[in-house]
Amino acid sequence: METQELHRGRLIDHIQLVVRDLPASRRFYETIFDALKIPIGGTGPDYFWVDELFISSVDSEAATGKLTGRHHLAFQAADHAMVKAFHEAGLAAGGKDNGGPGERPYHPGYFAAFLLDPDGNNIEAVHHGEAKRSAPSVKITF
């Protein structure tokens, strides 16, 4: 059997799903994540989150009134320059600006840029500021 390698924790920062019925979605996700022994990370009146997954109601500020179909994918960037390069390259490739590179109020050091892809999905590159990682990713070999 050939050895294969997977890397986790390098590409996806978080994924947002916008749902029609938040209480029903929360019940479902809490149930399946409980079975997987993954705790809910936090909640608010119009959202909850688990690790890299953020789920909000259609009326939450984060959703801008649209159901999933408008996915939000956030990719990790090594520094501010990489966030800026992402934004420039995306615009050159036909993306539409949805928030230029800059600090965001989510937490100190959150530096991000946003683009709409050709289908209208909100694609983000984010650098969370200086931090020490225990490893660049989790390496799984099988």
Side-chain angles (χ1 to χ4, degrees), residues 13 76-80 107-109 127-136:
D13 188 79
Q76 297 178 31
D79 53 32
H80 291 196
H107 69 70
H127 179 248
H128 289 284
E130 294 304 315
K132 183 178 179 182
R133 294 182 73 134
S134 62

Side-chain angles (χ1 to χ4, degrees), residues 32-124:
I32 65 168
F33 287 128
D34 184 57
L36 297 171
K37 302 200 183 312
I38 300 172
I40 300 295
T43 63
D46 56 4
Y47 68 89
F48 65 95
W49 58 272
V50 180
D51 286 347
E52 296 85 6
L53 178 62
F54 180 84
I55 299 175
S56 63
S57 63
V58 72
D59 59 349
S60 77
E61 186 175 345
T64 66
K66 297 179 183 172
L67 294 169
T68 296
R70 180 195 181 274
H71 297 287
H72 173 157
L73 303 177
F75 302 114
Q76 297 178 31
D79 53 32
H80 291 196
M82 189 178 281
V83 171
K84 292 174 186 175
F86 154 86
H87 192 254
E88 290 172 9
L91 289 174
K96 292 186 175 28
D97 179 46
N98 198 33
E103 293 281 336
R104 299 297 193 267
Y106 309 128
H107 69 70
Y110 195 108
F111 188 88
F114 301 84
L115 295 165
L116 296 178
D117 75 7
D119 294 305
N121 291 301
N122 187 31
I123 309 300
E124 174 185 1

